[in-house]
């Protein structure tokens, strides 16, 4: 027991050293966080995806916990974590079920996990546990990190990959497996996972994920697909739309937040997803034509973050104003504002 406490203490100190600024101040101001939780957080601690039938999912719970941490609100963090651990941590392998539907009985019909949600939850727990001296959070984070490493981090074709879920993405379940979703690599979380559960596979996972992003250049706009088959040469996976879609829109933000300063990659993604002057869109990869325009400030700010990182361009006032409408873009907007506030205040 003493050894375990010592490991937790050392891990906490290392995480704090890796993320000092967020531990000292709140990158998300109280007014913005109040607006977010008024729109998407119910009294049970459930983050509501109001653009997707009012469901909740592990991704949303992980985002909610991360945002509560960035807002320095331990009470709200604990409320979201309570729902997460009691309603989603139902599997016997330490990972979270991916979907909770208020309209279904039972609320959980599919017990598969989503590896990005698992990463976000473990990452938020580690940051909060370190900043607020909550050993139970750190222990829960370490347990999830261990499960992620053993269950959804795989070796295939000389690469270390993050598969989207335990079930359904590898051969023989998928003839074109393994299948990946490039937007599931939460790059900023991986060094923290390595502190929780030391293994050189975390760094390999980060390196191989970044190498894949550099290589995935489909269609005339040279963009990655949301879902990719790596059975042979990478190609859009069967049974999914061949598109740079809502999943992939967050990739440039994840790169920026992780401090990955690959200007060529960031610029290619920014240019590829931008249409009609300066508006982001989902893209049909085969034709390069836009599918859905994304005028919400929460989507537009992703391009503005790239412009800030690559060229020092200030964020437009329109994306600095936070008036949440839909869960997903509102989440991306707060993560973007928190990042720029903390790392690039010159862009505000």
């Amino acid at each position: 027991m003493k050894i375990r406490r010592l490991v937790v203490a050392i891990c906490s100190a290392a995480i704090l050293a890796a993320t000092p600024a967020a531990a000292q101040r709140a990158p998300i101001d109280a007014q913005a966080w109040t607006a977010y939780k008024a729109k998407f957080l119910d009294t049970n601690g459930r983050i509501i995806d109001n653009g997707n039938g009012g469901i909740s999912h592990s991704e949303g719970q992980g985002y909610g916990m991360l945002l509560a941490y960035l807002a320095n609100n331990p009470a709200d963090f604990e409320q979201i974590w309570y729902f997460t651990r009691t309603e989603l941590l139902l599997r016997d392998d330490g990972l979270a079920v991916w979907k909770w539907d208020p309209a279904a009985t039972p609320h959980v019909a599919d017990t598969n996990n989503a590896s990005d949600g698992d990463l976000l939850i473990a990452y938020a727990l580690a940051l909060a546990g370190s900043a607020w001296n909550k050993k139970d959070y750190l222990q829960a984070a370490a347990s999830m990190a261990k499960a992620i490493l053993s269950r959804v981090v795989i070796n295939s074709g000389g690469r270390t990959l993050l598969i989207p879920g335990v079930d359904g993405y590898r051969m023989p379940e998928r003839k074109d497996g393994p299948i990946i979703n490039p937007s599931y690599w939460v790059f900023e979380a991986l060094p923290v996972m390595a502190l929780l559960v030391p293994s050189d596979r975390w760094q390999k996972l980060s390196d191989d994920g970044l190498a894949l992003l550099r290589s995935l250049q489909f269609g005339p706009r040279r963009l990655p697909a949301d879902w990719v088959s790596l059975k042979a040469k990478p190609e859009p996976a069967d049974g999914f739309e061949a598109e740079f879609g809502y999943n992939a829109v967050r990739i440039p933000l994840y790169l920026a937040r992780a401090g990955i300063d690959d200007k060529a990659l960031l610029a290619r993604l920014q240019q590829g997803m931008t249409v009609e002057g300066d508006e982001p869109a989902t893209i049909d990869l085969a034709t390069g034509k836009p599918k859905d325009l994304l005028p919400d400030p929460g989507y537009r700010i992703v391009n503005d973050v790239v412009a800030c990182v690559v060229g020092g361009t200030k964020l437009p006032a329109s994306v600095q104003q936070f008036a949440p409408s839909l869960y997903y873009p509102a989440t991306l907007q707060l993560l973007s504002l928190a990042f720029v506030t903390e790392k690039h205040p010159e862009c505000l």
Side-chain angles (χ1 to χ4, degrees):
M1 185 62 71
K2 288 183 179 179
I3 293 175
R4 186 175 182 181
R5 285 199 295 267
L6 178 62
V7 170
V8 169
I10 292 172
C11 183
S12 178
I15 294 169
L16 276 177
T19 56
Q24 295 168 1
R25 62 190 177 88
I28 294 176
D29 67 60
Q31 184 176 359
W33 174 241
T34 297
Y36 183 93
K37 68 182 185 180
K39 189 80 173 178
F40 309 114
L41 176 60
D42 80 358
T43 56
N44 296 318
R46 185 168 79 87
I47 298 292
I48 299 169
D49 185 347
N50 65 336
N52 192 16
I55 68 166
S56 295
H57 33 67
S58 57
E59 169 211 277
Q61 297 302 116
Y63 278 145
M65 291 164 63
L66 180 56
L67 293 174
Y69 162 75
L70 292 170
N72 194 28
N73 196 312
D76 289 338
F77 185 100
E78 173 59 31
Q79 183 185 22
I80 301 166
W81 170 228
Y82 178 82
F83 180 89
T84 305
R85 71 178 183 266
T86 57
E87 297 291 334
L88 298 187
L89 284 174
L90 307 178
R91 296 170 53 91
D92 60 9
D93 61 3
L95 302 176
V97 300
W98 78 276
K99 177 182 177 182
W100 192 98
D101 188 346
T105 305
H107 295 304
V108 174
D110 180 357
T111 60
N112 203 12
N113 70 304
S115 55
D116 65 329
D118 296 320
L119 267 176
L120 288 164
I121 293 166
Y123 179 50
L125 283 166
L127 296 180
S130 301
W132 302 331
N133 194 29
K134 294 279 287 183
K135 293 181 176 61
D136 58 326
Y137 289 174
L138 283 169
Q139 290 166 351
S143 294
M144 289 198 75
K146 183 177 180 180
I148 292 165
L149 192 63
S150 65
R151 299 288 281 155
V152 290
V153 177
I154 68 167
N155 298 320
S156 177
R159 300 185 183 100
T160 300
L161 303 173
L162 182 71
I163 55 171
V166 171
D167 300 318
Y169 297 98
R170 287 182 278 186
M171 297 179 70
E173 296 167 292
R174 288 281 310 206
K175 292 181 179 179
D176 59 344
I179 305 298
I180 62 161
N181 185 317
S183 79
Y184 277 34
W185 264 258
V186 186
F187 287 100
E188 67 186 276
L190 299 181
V192 174
M193 298 300 104
L195 293 172
L196 294 168
V197 181
S199 169
D200 59 6
R201 296 179 73 209
W202 295 113
Q203 186 61 53
K204 187 73 163 55
L205 178 64
S206 182
D207 291 344
D208 288 348
L210 185 55
L212 276 167
L213 275 178
R214 290 173 175 146
S215 70
L216 297 176
Q217 302 186 30
F218 300 122
R221 289 181 177 264
R222 301 166 55 215
L223 289 170
D226 277 4
W227 301 94
V228 179
S229 165
L230 295 179
K231 180 180 180 180
K233 179 182 177 182
E235 60 183 4
D238 294 339
F240 298 94
E241 294 288 337
E243 65 180 3
F244 179 91
Y246 286 90
N247 282 260
V249 164
R250 58 190 168 176
I251 291 174
L253 176 60
Y254 280 180
L255 293 170
R257 283 186 55 90
I260 297 172
D261 190 22
D262 185 332
K263 290 182 170 57
L265 174 59
L266 288 168
R268 173 167 58 82
L269 293 171
Q270 179 193 37
Q271 292 164 9
M273 66 188 280
T274 304
V275 300
E276 297 185 6
D278 65 350
E279 190 158 327
T282 62
I283 303 294
D284 180 282
L285 293 176
T287 65
K289 294 181 179 179
K291 297 182 73 174
D292 294 333
L293 297 180
L294 304 175
D296 190 290
Y299 295 123
R300 297 179 71 97
I301 198 173
V302 174
N303 271 347
D304 297 324
V305 167
V306 172
C308 166
V309 170
V310 171
T313 304
K314 289 186 178 295
L315 268 63
S318 59
V319 301
Q320 296 188 47
Q321 299 166 358
F322 185 65
S325 174
L326 293 174
Y327 145 81
Y328 185 47
T331 299
L332 298 183
Q333 188 177 8
L334 276 194
L335 287 173
S336 299
L337 290 171
F339 167 70
V340 175
T341 297
E342 188 177 356
K343 301 295 185 182
H344 290 278
E346 74 277 7
C347 292
L348 294 173

